[in-house]
Structures are given as structure tokens and as C-alpha cells.
Amino acid sequence: MLVNLPGPWSPLLGRLALSEIPYTNPILAPLFVIIVLAGIALVVGITYYGKWGYLWKEWFTTVDHKKLGIMYIILGLIMLFRGFIDGLMMRTQQMLAVGSGHNGMPLMGAIHGYLAPFHFGQIYSAHGLIMILLAATPLLVGIMNIIVPLQIGARDMAYPYLNALGLWITAAAVFLIMISLFVGDFSHNGWFGYAPIFELAYSPGVGVDYWIWTLELVALGTTLGSINFLATVVKMRAPGVTWTRLPVFTWTAVSANIIALTSFPCLQVALALVGADRYLGTHFFTAGFGGNLMLYTNLFWLWGHPEVYFVILPAFGMISEVIPTFSEKPIFGYITMVLASFAIAGVSWIVWLHHFFTMGMGPYVSTEFSVATMLVGIPTGVKVFNWTFTMYRGRLTFSSAMIWSIGALFLLLIGGLTGMMLSIPAINYMVHNSVFVVAHFHMMLLCIVYAVFSAIIFWFPKVFGFKLNEAWGKIMFWLFSAGTFLVFFPMFMLGFMGETRRLDWPFNLQWAPWFDIQEVGIAVYVLSVLAFLWLIYVSIRDRAENRVGADAWGTSRSLEWITDSPVPFYNFAMVPHVNHRDEAAWRREHGFSDKRPEKFAAIHMPNNTPVAIVIGALTFVIGFGLTWRIWWLTVAALVLTVLVMIYRSGKGDPGYIITAEEMEKMDRESRQKMDDGHAPLPKGGGYTGGTVTAYSAEVGDPGSQSTPPGNSRPLS
């Protein structure tokens, strides 16, 4: 042991003991039984159908950016559900506990409501961390993983192995926070941590350690991913994809990953210093020993506020792809949309102090950060006006994807306007630490959720070859929107009435009606979750009726819509030559939508590898060992990780070659399968004939064309 610990410790198991397993907890014990039974049923089902080999070869060891993106999204949806359950428990606790006197459930160990304060604090802390870093982030990274290479005409990410490694390290973080449900406790000091509450003297359990290493792992995975995204866009663009022809979604991915690459190390440093205090006995954040409490707050929010824009910018990009498609118009103000994305990314670095105006920094510093915060509204407003002008006089189709995007705009306006209120120090002093701030932040995060569901509906047919059910997509939207209104608008009111955040016992009876309304909203949210599950079931059941071609919507605009649906593992039979920013719309308008390569070339593809999932499993073991201070386990897992990395570096990946003949055969089969499975889609007007460079090898009659060739590279 490196510091003196309260409680027992052994060389073999560290702090781990049977007493750390909450087998007497009336909530967790039944939940553990349910999860174990579900896990056994899943294992039995996979074994019965003989799918272990398929899962290992096609999914667990894959480096295909589309499959990795799908797994990111599945991971994000699972954690979105877990975070929602945490929110449901908090709202129910407040509804039951409101009022004076003892109204608790003794069986649950609660004086008020049904949750003890310590348990409520854990749920509160886990909810915030999960929703921001383990739900929103994997969902967004997954969609970027699938779409960005397709939009730039690449066969895969620049570093396929690194892509898989980022996924499995993120999965390790997910497993670490999930195991804290049943082994030990989680942190009770909020999702972002408070100094000095997270110090060993005030939080002697392992909850804060779970929090530290979960955040460290997800930060590492996200940083690796950001390097990969930036390298992919810079180096892997197809011929003709100049910088001014990048789709807006790709631009937002670039700006978001610049933020990730530069901000997540700040979080890792802050957490490393907290770890040094807890493990090495240093005093970076203990005021009584020369440390500085506000140092941690500054370091955390120096990452925290840019991270908010890391998750909101890709959501803006998704909206920028959906609205033009269903308005049948190019995006209005393309250049200003791109500049606005980078303006938001830049300003995000100079606003972090607005999270703690009440620290007493003085009027001059407060004014600077107040003005900087208001500046964010300018580029954001540019985007809102551009989306509005895109829809103006467009031929609007109110598909389910479109109404989810429009819903995101309304939430963005509410979140943005309340954010402008909070940027004024005088108002901020009044509502700081109240649920008004919580409601504002949820408006921004729910804007992301709306954009994500819009993007899932929009790009689902491109990935799987069939559409999601439109009717149930709209039913889910209206249920989700009703739940949002019923939960968060009362929260704004409660914030004005003085309810503070993290309140497990709301003592004021005047708040009771608002808590009742919120509970009704939670029930409506539950209905929306059921509608989503039914949406997936019905869509899979009726998939044969909803098969699509390359352009699933008939009005799509960007490059990913020229390849087959579902996208083959090689993405494009031949690397496309891009002639226009809206390449799919340009080809459709000029009658080239059905052009296929006449000549094929051999292509190079990366091999699958088990190394990424092995390292991911070892990072989980490292995190678990550090949490429980099982030093031999931590050292062994760390040594094995290094050895596996050395093995991978020495072995490398020569990849494999698909010959031109094989490529032609696969392309023909892919097109035949797609043509057999769908009815003809509507095509835009225009003319046929003439000369066009459709692929890196010219298709059609010999001739010249004026479009610059762009950044040509070998097919590999």
C-alpha cells in the first residue's frame, strides 16, 4: 500500500472483500440476479445457434469502420438506457420524498423516499458521467466512424487497428462503471468531482477510484479516436474531394476531434493529480497542505466546456445533412456553416470560468468570461438561420428523420437562450447550483439526442439496406417530446423557486405538484423507450418490404449515397472521383446515378486482429486492479499489455489483396442483390449523356472535364 487506508487490505485481493458485494441491498441484489440470468440466456442462445465463431471473426476482431461504428452505437444506446434508469430513479425519489417528516421506506434504509442519501449520490454521479461520456460520446463517435470515411470516399479509417483499439478501451470503461453496481460503490461526489470531497480523507471507499479510472479509460479511447479521424480526413480523401467539397458533417467531425485531441489530455492530467493525492499521498487539491481546491475545478472545466462542443458539433453536422435532403436544396451558406463550426470550437476554450462565477473572481474576469460566453451565440445563431433558410421555399418532406432534426432545433433555441441568461453573472449568481442550470444543460444534451435519433433513422438504410418504420419513428418522436416537456419545463420552474441540484430530500411542499408532473413525464419517456424497441422490431420484421437502393431517400446529397446499400466491406468498388460538393445530387441531376465502374483494380484491405479486444480487456483489468489496489494484478495486466503491443508492433499487418476479377464479381453480386431487393426509387430531373469522371478510372466516353482531380492517392 502506498498510503494508509481505512479498512482491511490484503496482498492477494487488495481492498476487495465479500462485504463489498451488496448482496443484501433490496434493489441491487434482484438486479444482479436478473442480469446474471439474462447473461446466461444470451450465452446459451449464442451457443445453441453456433454463433461464437461468427461473432469472433466478424465483430469482436473486426477493423471495419462500419462494424466498429455499429458497436459504438450499440454501446451508447445501452448506456443511454442505463443513464435513463438512473434518471428515473432520481425523479421517483424526489417525488416520493418531498415534504417534511419521515416518509421513507425503512426496508430500503431511507428516511425520505426510497433511496438513502449515499445511494442517491452514487446514482446522481453515475447518471451525469454515463450520459455525457458513455452514452452521447459513443453514439456520436459511432456515427462519425460509419459516415466520415464514406463521405470522403475512403475505404476505411487511416488506422483501422487504432480504431478498434479505441472502441475496446471505451468498452473497458463501460464494463468498469457497470461492475461498480455490484462490487463496491460508485462515487457520490457528482459526475465532475468536488475538491476536496474526492480526497481519501472524505471519500475513503473505492467509489472515487472507480470514477477516476472510468474517466481515464474513456478519455484515452476518445483521444486515440480523434487522432484517427483527423488523419483520415487529411490523408484519405478521394480524388476530387477538395477541402471546399467536404460535407458539413465531416467538417463538424474535424472541428470536434480537434477539440477532443487538445482537451481530453487536460482531463487526464486533472484525474492523474487526483489519483496522486489518493494513491501517493500528495496534496494538489487539499488546502490544508499547500494545495489549491480551485486548481482542480479550473483543470476539469478547461476540458469540460470544450467537451460540450465536442459532442454538440457532430450533432450540428447531422442536422446539416438531414435538413437539405428533405428540403431538396443544398445547405444554405456552406462557407459560413464551416466557419461557424470552427468559431464555436475556438471560443469553447475561453469560456470555462462561467461554470463558477460564484467563486469570487472579480468583476473584470467575470466580464471577460461573460462576454466570451455570449460570443458562442453568434456562430450558433448563424447555423440556426442557415438551417431555416435551407428549409425556406424548399420541397419539404416531413419524414421521421426530418422531424427529429426540427425538434433538435427547438431544443437548441431553448438551451441557447437559457445559456445566454446564465452567461450574465448577476443572473448566474441567483440560479447557480439550482436545477435551472440542470434543465438548461439537458436542453443542450437532448438536442444531441434528437440529432442522434435523426441520424440513426437517416443513415440506417445505408448501413443495413432497409429503412426503419416511419410511423413508429414519428410515434417515438412525439412521445419523447412530450416526456421532455413534462420533465424539464417543471425543472426550469423549480430552479426559479430555489430547488438546488443533487437534492435527495425536497422539503418544500410547494414543489410537490412539479415533481408529480415530472414523474408523469418519466412515465411518458418509458413509453418512448418501448416505442423505440417496437420500432426496431417492426423494422426488422418488415425489412423485405423496406429494402432500398444506393440512394435510400431519392433526394440524398452527399457521397455516401452513391455506394450500395448496405455498404460492402470495401465501401466503394472503385475509389470515386468527386465532381461536386453534393456528389449524389449532382450525379442524380445529370443522370449518372447508375454509373458503375467499367474497369476494376486490385485493392488492399487490412486484416482483422484480436489484439485490440485483448488490450481492451487488459485495460479493464488494470482499471479494476487500481480501483481495488490489487497491485500484483495491475502490474501483471500492465506487463501483458506492453508485451501484446510489442508483439503487434513486430508482427504488423500486411493486409490482403482483392484482385480486380474478385472485385468485379463482388460488385456485380452486390448490385444484383440490391436491385432484387427494392422497388425503383424516384430520381431527380436532369439530362443524360456527356462525359463524367465518376471513378478514379474514368467511366464513359474519352474526353476531358474541367473539375480538378483533387487529392489522388493509391487505392490502398
Side-chain angles (χ1 to χ4, degrees), residues 184-237:
D185 297 309
F186 193 67
S187 172
H188 65 283
N189 68 331
W191 77 272
F192 48 83
Y194 280 103
I197 296 175
F198 52 51
E199 296 289 348
L200 200 59
Y202 305 103
S203 298
V206 297
V208 172
D209 301 315
Y210 269 125
W211 170 78
I212 289 173
W213 302 115
T214 298
L215 279 172
E216 287 281 19
L217 288 177
V218 74
L220 176 59
T222 308
T223 303
L224 295 177
S226 65
I227 296 169
N228 210 354
F229 278 115
L230 294 174
T232 300
V233 176
V234 171
K235 300 297 292 183
M236 301 289 286
R237 302 190 314 279

Short mmCIF file of all heavy atoms in Angstrom, two decimals, residues 184-237:
data_model
loop_
_atom_site.label_atom_id
_atom_site.label_comp_id
_atom_site.label_asym_id
_atom_site.label_seq_id
_atom_site.Cartn_x
_atom_site.Cartn_y
_atom_site.Cartn_z
N GLY A 184 -18.56 -3.20 -4.68
CA GLY A 184 -18.22 -1.90 -4.12
C GLY A 184 -19.29 -0.86 -4.41
O GLY A 184 -20.44 -1.18 -4.72
N ASP A 185 -18.90 0.39 -4.32
CA ASP A 185 -19.80 1.52 -4.58
C ASP A 185 -19.20 2.41 -5.65
O ASP A 185 -18.00 2.32 -5.95
CB ASP A 185 -20.01 2.34 -3.30
CG ASP A 185 -20.67 1.54 -2.20
OD1 ASP A 185 -21.72 0.93 -2.47
OD2 ASP A 185 -20.14 1.52 -1.07
N PHE A 186 -20.05 3.30 -6.20
CA PHE A 186 -19.54 4.30 -7.13
C PHE A 186 -19.37 5.62 -6.38
O PHE A 186 -19.82 5.79 -5.25
CB PHE A 186 -20.48 4.46 -8.33
CG PHE A 186 -19.87 5.24 -9.47
CD1 PHE A 186 -18.81 4.72 -10.19
CD2 PHE A 186 -20.35 6.50 -9.81
CE1 PHE A 186 -18.23 5.44 -11.22
CE2 PHE A 186 -19.79 7.23 -10.84
CZ PHE A 186 -18.72 6.70 -11.55
N SER A 187 -18.74 6.58 -7.05
CA SER A 187 -18.51 7.89 -6.45
C SER A 187 -19.83 8.58 -6.12
O SER A 187 -20.82 8.44 -6.83
CB SER A 187 -17.70 8.75 -7.43
OG SER A 187 -17.62 10.08 -6.96
N HIS A 188 -19.82 9.35 -5.04
CA HIS A 188 -21.00 10.11 -4.64
C HIS A 188 -20.75 11.61 -4.68
O HIS A 188 -21.51 12.39 -4.13
CB HIS A 188 -21.43 9.71 -3.22
CG HIS A 188 -20.43 10.07 -2.16
ND1 HIS A 188 -19.28 9.33 -1.97
CD2 HIS A 188 -20.39 11.07 -1.26
CE1 HIS A 188 -18.57 9.88 -1.00
NE2 HIS A 188 -19.22 10.94 -0.56
N ASN A 189 -19.68 12.03 -5.37
CA ASN A 189 -19.30 13.45 -5.36
C ASN A 189 -19.60 14.15 -6.68
O ASN A 189 -18.91 15.07 -7.09
CB ASN A 189 -17.82 13.61 -4.99
CG ASN A 189 -16.90 13.08 -6.06
OD1 ASN A 189 -17.27 12.16 -6.78
ND2 ASN A 189 -15.71 13.65 -6.19
N GLY A 190 -20.67 13.72 -7.38
CA GLY A 190 -21.03 14.36 -8.65
C GLY A 190 -20.22 13.77 -9.79
O GLY A 190 -19.16 13.17 -9.59
N TRP A 191 -20.74 13.97 -11.01
CA TRP A 191 -20.05 13.36 -12.16
C TRP A 191 -18.73 14.04 -12.44
O TRP A 191 -17.82 13.44 -13.01
CB TRP A 191 -20.95 13.40 -13.40
CG TRP A 191 -21.05 14.73 -14.08
CD1 TRP A 191 -21.93 15.73 -13.81
CD2 TRP A 191 -20.24 15.20 -15.17
NE1 TRP A 191 -21.72 16.80 -14.65
CE2 TRP A 191 -20.68 16.49 -15.50
CE3 TRP A 191 -19.18 14.65 -15.89
CZ2 TRP A 191 -20.11 17.26 -16.52
CZ3 TRP A 191 -18.61 15.41 -16.91
CH2 TRP A 191 -19.08 16.69 -17.21
N PHE A 192 -18.58 15.32 -12.03
CA PHE A 192 -17.33 16.03 -12.32
C PHE A 192 -16.41 16.12 -11.12
O PHE A 192 -15.28 16.56 -11.25
CB PHE A 192 -17.61 17.43 -12.86
CG PHE A 192 -18.62 18.23 -12.08
CD1 PHE A 192 -18.25 18.93 -10.96
CD2 PHE A 192 -19.93 18.30 -12.49
CE1 PHE A 192 -19.17 19.67 -10.25
CE2 PHE A 192 -20.87 19.04 -11.80
CZ PHE A 192 -20.49 19.73 -10.66
N GLY A 193 -16.87 15.73 -9.94
CA GLY A 193 -15.99 15.69 -8.78
C GLY A 193 -15.84 17.03 -8.09
O GLY A 193 -15.81 18.07 -8.73
N TYR A 194 -15.77 16.97 -6.79
CA TYR A 194 -15.57 18.17 -5.99
C TYR A 194 -14.32 18.02 -5.15
O TYR A 194 -14.12 16.99 -4.49
CB TYR A 194 -16.76 18.40 -5.05
CG TYR A 194 -17.96 19.04 -5.71
CD1 TYR A 194 -19.07 18.28 -6.04
CD2 TYR A 194 -17.98 20.40 -5.99
CE1 TYR A 194 -20.18 18.86 -6.63
CE2 TYR A 194 -19.08 20.99 -6.59
CZ TYR A 194 -20.17 20.21 -6.90
OH TYR A 194 -21.26 20.78 -7.49
N ALA A 195 -13.47 19.03 -5.18
CA ALA A 195 -12.34 19.07 -4.26
C ALA A 195 -12.82 19.79 -2.99
O ALA A 195 -13.47 20.83 -3.09
CB ALA A 195 -11.17 19.81 -4.88
N PRO A 196 -12.50 19.28 -1.83
CA PRO A 196 -11.67 18.11 -1.53
C PRO A 196 -12.48 16.84 -1.23
O PRO A 196 -11.95 15.92 -0.62
CB PRO A 196 -10.93 18.56 -0.29
CG PRO A 196 -11.98 19.36 0.46
CD PRO A 196 -12.80 20.06 -0.61
N ILE A 197 -13.79 16.80 -1.63
CA ILE A 197 -14.62 15.64 -1.27
C ILE A 197 -14.04 14.35 -1.83
O ILE A 197 -14.15 13.29 -1.22
CB ILE A 197 -16.07 15.86 -1.75
CG1 ILE A 197 -16.68 17.05 -1.02
CG2 ILE A 197 -16.91 14.62 -1.51
CD1 ILE A 197 -18.06 17.41 -1.51
N PHE A 198 -13.39 14.44 -3.02
CA PHE A 198 -12.85 13.20 -3.60
C PHE A 198 -11.53 12.77 -2.97
O PHE A 198 -10.97 11.75 -3.34
CB PHE A 198 -12.68 13.31 -5.12
CG PHE A 198 -11.92 14.53 -5.60
CD1 PHE A 198 -10.69 14.87 -5.08
CD2 PHE A 198 -12.46 15.33 -6.60
CE1 PHE A 198 -9.99 15.97 -5.53
CE2 PHE A 198 -11.76 16.44 -7.07
CZ PHE A 198 -10.53 16.75 -6.54
N GLU A 199 -11.02 13.54 -2.01
CA GLU A 199 -9.79 13.13 -1.33
C GLU A 199 -10.06 11.93 -0.43
O GLU A 199 -11.18 11.69 0.01
CB GLU A 199 -9.23 14.29 -0.51
CG GLU A 199 -8.81 15.50 -1.33
CD GLU A 199 -7.55 15.26 -2.14
OE1 GLU A 199 -6.88 14.23 -1.92
OE2 GLU A 199 -7.25 16.10 -3.01
N LEU A 200 -9.04 11.18 -0.15
CA LEU A 200 -9.17 9.93 0.58
C LEU A 200 -9.76 10.14 1.97
O LEU A 200 -10.52 9.29 2.46
CB LEU A 200 -7.80 9.24 0.68
CG LEU A 200 -7.79 7.74 0.99
CD1 LEU A 200 -8.55 6.96 -0.07
CD2 LEU A 200 -6.34 7.25 1.08
N ALA A 201 -9.47 11.27 2.57
CA ALA A 201 -9.98 11.52 3.93
C ALA A 201 -11.49 11.65 3.95
O ALA A 201 -12.14 11.31 4.95
CB ALA A 201 -9.33 12.79 4.49
N TYR A 202 -12.08 12.15 2.87
CA TYR A 202 -13.53 12.40 2.83
C TYR A 202 -14.27 11.33 2.04
O TYR A 202 -15.49 11.19 2.19
CB TYR A 202 -13.80 13.77 2.23
CG TYR A 202 -13.07 14.89 2.93
CD1 TYR A 202 -11.93 15.46 2.38
CD2 TYR A 202 -13.51 15.35 4.17
CE1 TYR A 202 -11.25 16.47 3.04
CE2 TYR A 202 -12.83 16.36 4.84
CZ TYR A 202 -11.71 16.92 4.26
OH TYR A 202 -11.04 17.91 4.92
N SER A 203 -13.60 10.62 1.16
CA SER A 203 -14.21 9.53 0.39
C SER A 203 -13.29 8.31 0.49
O SER A 203 -12.55 7.99 -0.45
CB SER A 203 -14.40 9.95 -1.08
OG SER A 203 -15.27 11.05 -1.17
N PRO A 204 -13.31 7.63 1.63
CA PRO A 204 -12.35 6.54 1.84
C PRO A 204 -12.66 5.27 1.06
O PRO A 204 -11.80 4.39 0.97
CB PRO A 204 -12.44 6.29 3.35
CG PRO A 204 -13.83 6.72 3.72
CD PRO A 204 -14.14 7.88 2.82
N GLY A 205 -13.85 5.15 0.51
CA GLY A 205 -14.21 3.95 -0.24
C GLY A 205 -13.58 3.94 -1.62
O GLY A 205 -12.74 4.77 -1.97
N VAL A 206 -14.03 2.99 -2.45
CA VAL A 206 -13.46 2.83 -3.80
C VAL A 206 -14.27 3.57 -4.86
O VAL A 206 -13.93 3.52 -6.04
CB VAL A 206 -13.36 1.34 -4.19
CG1 VAL A 206 -12.42 0.60 -3.25
CG2 VAL A 206 -14.74 0.69 -4.20
N GLY A 207 -15.37 4.22 -4.46
CA GLY A 207 -16.23 4.88 -5.44
C GLY A 207 -15.50 5.90 -6.28
O GLY A 207 -15.63 5.93 -7.52
N VAL A 208 -14.70 6.74 -5.64
CA VAL A 208 -13.94 7.76 -6.37
C VAL A 208 -12.91 7.11 -7.29
O VAL A 208 -12.64 7.60 -8.39
CB VAL A 208 -13.28 8.76 -5.40
CG1 VAL A 208 -12.33 9.70 -6.14
CG2 VAL A 208 -14.35 9.57 -4.67
N ASP A 209 -12.35 5.99 -6.85
CA ASP A 209 -11.37 5.29 -7.69
C ASP A 209 -12.03 4.72 -8.94
O ASP A 209 -11.46 4.78 -10.04
CB ASP A 209 -10.69 4.18 -6.88
CG ASP A 209 -9.98 4.72 -5.65
OD1 ASP A 209 -9.29 5.74 -5.78
OD2 ASP A 209 -10.14 4.13 -4.57
N TYR A 210 -13.22 4.15 -8.80
CA TYR A 210 -13.98 3.73 -9.98
C TYR A 210 -14.17 4.92 -10.93
O TYR A 210 -14.03 4.79 -12.15
CB TYR A 210 -15.35 3.20 -9.57
CG TYR A 210 -15.42 1.72 -9.31
CD1 TYR A 210 -15.90 1.22 -8.10
CD2 TYR A 210 -15.05 0.80 -10.29
CE1 TYR A 210 -16.00 -0.15 -7.86
CE2 TYR A 210 -15.15 -0.57 -10.06
CZ TYR A 210 -15.62 -1.03 -8.85
OH TYR A 210 -15.71 -2.38 -8.64
N TRP A 211 -14.53 6.04 -10.36
CA TRP A 211 -14.78 7.27 -11.15
C TRP A 211 -13.51 7.70 -11.90
O TRP A 211 -13.56 8.01 -13.10
CB TRP A 211 -15.29 8.35 -10.20
CG TRP A 211 -15.38 9.73 -10.74
CD1 TRP A 211 -16.35 10.24 -11.56
CD2 TRP A 211 -14.49 10.81 -10.46
NE1 TRP A 211 -16.11 11.56 -11.82
CE2 TRP A 211 -14.97 11.93 -11.16
CE3 TRP A 211 -13.32 10.93 -9.71
CZ2 TRP A 211 -14.33 13.18 -11.11
CZ3 TRP A 211 -12.69 12.17 -9.66
CH2 TRP A 211 -13.19 13.26 -10.35
N ILE A 212 -12.39 7.69 -11.20
CA ILE A 212 -11.12 8.13 -11.81
C ILE A 212 -10.78 7.27 -13.01
O ILE A 212 -10.53 7.77 -14.12
CB ILE A 212 -9.97 8.08 -10.78
CG1 ILE A 212 -10.13 9.17 -9.73
CG2 ILE A 212 -8.61 8.24 -11.49
CD1 ILE A 212 -9.12 9.05 -8.59
N TRP A 213 -10.77 5.95 -12.82
CA TRP A 213 -10.26 5.07 -13.88
C TRP A 213 -11.27 4.88 -15.01
O TRP A 213 -10.86 4.64 -16.15
CB TRP A 213 -9.81 3.75 -13.27
CG TRP A 213 -8.75 3.97 -12.24
CD1 TRP A 213 -8.82 3.73 -10.90
CD2 TRP A 213 -7.47 4.59 -12.45
NE1 TRP A 213 -7.67 4.13 -10.26
CE2 TRP A 213 -6.82 4.65 -11.19
CE3 TRP A 213 -6.79 5.08 -13.57
CZ2 TRP A 213 -5.54 5.19 -11.04
CZ3 TRP A 213 -5.52 5.60 -13.42
CH2 TRP A 213 -4.92 5.66 -12.16
N THR A 214 -12.56 5.01 -14.72
CA THR A 214 -13.53 5.02 -15.81
C THR A 214 -13.30 6.22 -16.71
O THR A 214 -13.26 6.09 -17.95
CB THR A 214 -14.97 5.06 -15.25
OG1 THR A 214 -15.21 3.88 -14.47
CG2 THR A 214 -15.99 5.14 -16.37
N LEU A 215 -13.13 7.39 -16.11
CA LEU A 215 -12.88 8.60 -16.90
C LEU A 215 -11.56 8.52 -17.64
O LEU A 215 -11.46 8.95 -18.80
CB LEU A 215 -12.90 9.83 -15.99
CG LEU A 215 -14.28 10.38 -15.61
CD1 LEU A 215 -14.14 11.46 -14.55
CD2 LEU A 215 -14.97 10.96 -16.84
N GLU A 216 -10.52 7.99 -16.98
CA GLU A 216 -9.22 7.89 -17.64
C GLU A 216 -9.31 7.00 -18.88
O GLU A 216 -8.74 7.32 -19.94
CB GLU A 216 -8.17 7.34 -16.68
CG GLU A 216 -7.71 8.33 -15.60
CD GLU A 216 -6.71 9.35 -16.13
OE1 GLU A 216 -6.62 9.53 -17.35
OE2 GLU A 216 -6.01 9.96 -15.30
N LEU A 217 -10.03 5.88 -18.78
CA LEU A 217 -10.12 4.97 -19.91
C LEU A 217 -10.91 5.58 -21.06
O LEU A 217 -10.50 5.49 -22.23
CB LEU A 217 -10.76 3.65 -19.47
CG LEU A 217 -9.90 2.73 -18.59
CD1 LEU A 217 -10.69 1.49 -18.18
CD2 LEU A 217 -8.63 2.31 -19.32
N VAL A 218 -12.04 6.20 -20.75
CA VAL A 218 -12.83 6.77 -21.83
C VAL A 218 -12.09 7.95 -22.46
O VAL A 218 -12.18 8.18 -23.68
CB VAL A 218 -14.23 7.18 -21.33
CG1 VAL A 218 -14.22 8.44 -20.49
CG2 VAL A 218 -15.18 7.37 -22.50
N ALA A 219 -11.32 8.68 -21.68
CA ALA A 219 -10.52 9.78 -22.24
C ALA A 219 -9.44 9.24 -23.17
O ALA A 219 -9.19 9.81 -24.24
CB ALA A 219 -9.89 10.60 -21.11
N LEU A 220 -8.81 8.14 -22.79
CA LEU A 220 -7.79 7.54 -23.63
C LEU A 220 -8.39 7.05 -24.95
O LEU A 220 -7.84 7.31 -26.03
CB LEU A 220 -7.13 6.37 -22.89
CG LEU A 220 -6.08 5.56 -23.67
CD1 LEU A 220 -4.94 6.44 -24.14
CD2 LEU A 220 -5.57 4.39 -22.82
N GLY A 221 -9.52 6.34 -24.87
CA GLY A 221 -10.15 5.84 -26.08
C GLY A 221 -10.57 6.96 -27.02
O GLY A 221 -10.40 6.86 -28.24
N THR A 222 -11.11 8.03 -26.46
CA THR A 222 -11.56 9.15 -27.29
C THR A 222 -10.38 9.88 -27.92
O THR A 222 -10.46 10.32 -29.08
CB THR A 222 -12.40 10.13 -26.44
OG1 THR A 222 -13.44 9.40 -25.78
CG2 THR A 222 -13.02 11.21 -27.31
N THR A 223 -9.29 10.02 -27.18
CA THR A 223 -8.10 10.68 -27.73
C THR A 223 -7.53 9.89 -28.91
O THR A 223 -7.17 10.46 -29.95
CB THR A 223 -7.03 10.85 -26.64
OG1 THR A 223 -7.58 11.59 -25.55
CG2 THR A 223 -5.81 11.58 -27.18
N LEU A 224 -7.45 8.57 -28.76
CA LEU A 224 -6.97 7.73 -29.87
C LEU A 224 -7.87 7.89 -31.09
O LEU A 224 -7.41 8.00 -32.23
CB LEU A 224 -6.92 6.27 -29.45
CG LEU A 224 -5.92 5.90 -28.34
CD1 LEU A 224 -6.04 4.41 -27.99
CD2 LEU A 224 -4.50 6.23 -28.75
N GLY A 225 -9.19 7.92 -30.85
CA GLY A 225 -10.12 8.10 -31.96
C GLY A 225 -9.97 9.43 -32.65
O GLY A 225 -10.07 9.52 -33.89
N SER A 226 -9.72 10.49 -31.90
CA SER A 226 -9.59 11.82 -32.51
C SER A 226 -8.38 11.89 -33.43
O SER A 226 -8.44 12.51 -34.50
CB SER A 226 -9.49 12.89 -31.41
OG SER A 226 -8.31 12.73 -30.64
N ILE A 227 -7.27 11.26 -33.04
CA ILE A 227 -6.09 11.21 -33.91
C ILE A 227 -6.45 10.53 -35.24
O ILE A 227 -6.09 11.00 -36.32
CB ILE A 227 -4.94 10.45 -33.22
CG1 ILE A 227 -4.48 11.20 -31.97
CG2 ILE A 227 -3.78 10.22 -34.17
CD1 ILE A 227 -3.54 10.39 -31.09
N ASN A 228 -7.20 9.45 -35.13
CA ASN A 228 -7.57 8.67 -36.31
C ASN A 228 -8.48 9.46 -37.25
O ASN A 228 -8.30 9.45 -38.47
CB ASN A 228 -8.26 7.38 -35.85
CG ASN A 228 -8.05 6.23 -36.81
OD1 ASN A 228 -7.48 6.39 -37.88
ND2 ASN A 228 -8.51 5.07 -36.43
N PHE A 229 -9.47 10.13 -36.69
CA PHE A 229 -10.39 10.91 -37.53
C PHE A 229 -9.65 12.01 -38.29
O PHE A 229 -9.87 12.22 -39.49
CB PHE A 229 -11.50 11.53 -36.67
CG PHE A 229 -12.62 10.59 -36.37
CD1 PHE A 229 -12.86 10.17 -35.08
CD2 PHE A 229 -13.45 10.11 -37.38
CE1 PHE A 229 -13.90 9.29 -34.79
CE2 PHE A 229 -14.49 9.24 -37.11
CZ PHE A 229 -14.71 8.83 -35.81
N LEU A 230 -8.78 12.72 -37.60
CA LEU A 230 -8.09 13.83 -38.25
C LEU A 230 -7.16 13.32 -39.34
O LEU A 230 -7.10 13.89 -40.44
CB LEU A 230 -7.31 14.64 -37.20
CG LEU A 230 -8.17 15.38 -36.16
CD1 LEU A 230 -7.31 16.02 -35.10
CD2 LEU A 230 -9.05 16.42 -36.84
N ALA A 231 -6.43 12.24 -39.06
CA ALA A 231 -5.55 11.66 -40.08
C ALA A 231 -6.35 11.18 -41.28
O ALA A 231 -5.92 11.32 -42.43
CB ALA A 231 -4.73 10.52 -39.48
N THR A 232 -7.53 10.61 -41.03
CA THR A 232 -8.35 10.08 -42.12
C THR A 232 -8.80 11.19 -43.05
O THR A 232 -8.69 11.08 -44.28
CB THR A 232 -9.58 9.35 -41.54
OG1 THR A 232 -9.13 8.27 -40.72
CG2 THR A 232 -10.47 8.81 -42.64
N VAL A 233 -9.30 12.28 -42.49
CA VAL A 233 -9.81 13.37 -43.33
C VAL A 233 -8.68 14.07 -44.07
O VAL A 233 -8.82 14.46 -45.24
CB VAL A 233 -10.62 14.36 -42.48
CG1 VAL A 233 -11.08 15.55 -43.33
CG2 VAL A 233 -11.84 13.68 -41.86
N VAL A 234 -7.54 14.21 -43.41
CA VAL A 234 -6.43 14.92 -44.06
C VAL A 234 -5.81 14.08 -45.17
O VAL A 234 -5.49 14.59 -46.26
CB VAL A 234 -5.36 15.28 -43.00
CG1 VAL A 234 -4.09 15.81 -43.68
CG2 VAL A 234 -5.90 16.33 -42.04
N LYS A 235 -5.68 12.76 -44.97
CA LYS A 235 -4.88 11.95 -45.88
C LYS A 235 -5.67 10.98 -46.76
O LYS A 235 -5.10 10.44 -47.71
CB LYS A 235 -3.86 11.12 -45.08
CG LYS A 235 -2.89 11.96 -44.27
CD LYS A 235 -2.02 12.84 -45.16
CE LYS A 235 -1.06 12.02 -45.99
NZ LYS A 235 -0.17 12.87 -46.81
N MET A 236 -6.94 10.73 -46.49
CA MET A 236 -7.64 9.64 -47.16
C MET A 236 -8.74 10.12 -48.11
O MET A 236 -9.54 9.29 -48.57
CB MET A 236 -8.25 8.69 -46.12
CG MET A 236 -7.26 8.07 -45.16
SD MET A 236 -6.21 6.84 -45.95
CE MET A 236 -7.37 5.49 -46.12
N ARG A 237 -8.79 11.38 -48.42
CA ARG A 237 -9.86 11.88 -49.29
C ARG A 237 -9.69 11.37 -50.72
O ARG A 237 -8.58 11.28 -51.25
CB ARG A 237 -9.89 13.41 -49.30
CG ARG A 237 -10.08 14.02 -47.94
CD ARG A 237 -10.36 15.51 -47.97
NE ARG A 237 -9.47 16.26 -48.84
CZ ARG A 237 -8.25 16.65 -48.52
NH1 ARG A 237 -7.75 16.33 -47.34
NH2 ARG A 237 -7.52 17.34 -49.35
#
